[in-house]
């Protein structure tokens, strides 16, 4: 079964988008890749790139101390905090009130998808800098406009959006970096229920996923040992059970893997 057939099987259940191509940035298969979804945690990758840029510019350092706190400025005015019940990465919470290195927070943000760590990093980097990454590499539709759990901003219609093509552009940029820092963080992702799930054990997948109510996304660079790397992004906003949405992404990734020697043959 091809990717088109997999998508046809869930037609009518929601919005599904796919971008598949090489590290040259050229797609070989697209399905509604320009439609944006709520980004969920996929926005954490542009935040990490913005941090990387500020480190390179000498504005920040990975070893500088950051006091862990849970009080942030809302983009709608006022203050907000991250909901601990919706953060599945407990290590950052265990450091509350203590100083930790900015680089440690970045690793928590990418490898464990910590929401609290994300807002702490974003506070240092700035929303404008994170959005600028998407403006440069994305498709012009994706955007970072607020921190994680900024409910007041969400209620005011201030949202983070990501299209498959937008995330693919960011992944292509990271995948071509000579510096392996971000690529290694992505490869160390501990949440592997989507793109890596059905690939051969040990396959290097540099990916960032995201999930929320009705949301399940994953995007990454897959590096087969016997073929050129490829980039795959699947975004889903649907009424599918979450496990089924994960399965769909894993099945699409398996089709891509099976065609890794000739991606252009995928239909």
């Amino acid at each position: 079964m091809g990717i088109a057939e997999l998508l046809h099987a869930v037609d009518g259940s929601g919005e599904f988008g796919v971008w598949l191509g090489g590290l040259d940035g050229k797609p070989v298969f697209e399905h509604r890749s320009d439609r944006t979804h709520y980004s969920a945690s996929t926005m954490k990758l542009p935040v990490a790139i913005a941090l990387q840029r500020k480190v390179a510019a000498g504005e920040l350092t990975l070893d500088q101390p950051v006091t862990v706190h849970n009080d942030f400025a809302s983009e709608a005015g006022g203050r907000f905090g991250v909901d601990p019940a919706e953060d599945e990465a407990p290590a950052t919470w265990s450091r509350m009130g203590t100083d930790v290195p900015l680089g440690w927070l970045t690793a928590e943000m990418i490898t464990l998808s910590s929401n609290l760590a994300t807002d702490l990093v974003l506070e240092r980097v700035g929303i404008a800098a994170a959005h600028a990454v998407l403006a440069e590499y994305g498709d012009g539709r994706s955007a970072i406009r607020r921190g994680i759990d900024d409910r007041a901003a969400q209620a005011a219609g201030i949202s983070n959006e990501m299209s498959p093509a937008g995330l693919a552009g960011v992944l292509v940029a990271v995948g071509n970096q000579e510096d392996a820092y971000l690529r290694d963080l992505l490869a160390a992702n501990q949440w592997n229920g989507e793109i890596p799930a059905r690939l051969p054990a040990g396959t290097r997948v540099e990916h960032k996923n995201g999930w929320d109510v009705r949301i399940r996304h994953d995007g990454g660079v897959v590096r087969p040992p016997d073929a050129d790397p490829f980039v795959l992004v699947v975004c889903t906003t649907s009424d599918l059970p979450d496990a089924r949405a994960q399965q769909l992404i894993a099945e699409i990734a398996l089709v891509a893997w099976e065609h890794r020697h000739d991606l252009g043959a995928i239909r």
Side-chain angles (χ1 to χ4, degrees), residues 38-39 73-77 127 143-161:
Y38 171 57
S39 69
S74 169
E75 289 303 298
I127 289 172
I144 295 177
R145 302 186 178 98
R146 62 171 174 84
I148 300 288
D149 277 354
D150 187 346
R151 307 282 186 200
Q154 182 180 15
I158 303 170
S159 187
N160 298 324
E161 299 178 272

Side-chain angles (χ1 to χ4, degrees), residues 12 14 17 30 36 47 54 82 111 113 122 129 166 188 204 206 213 233 243-244 252 255:
E30 293 181 277
T36 59
V47 172
K54 286 187 176 290
V82 175
T111 64
S113 208
L122 187 59
R204 183 176 172 95
E206 301 159 5
V213 177
V233 180
R244 176 68 185 99
I252 290 172
V255 172

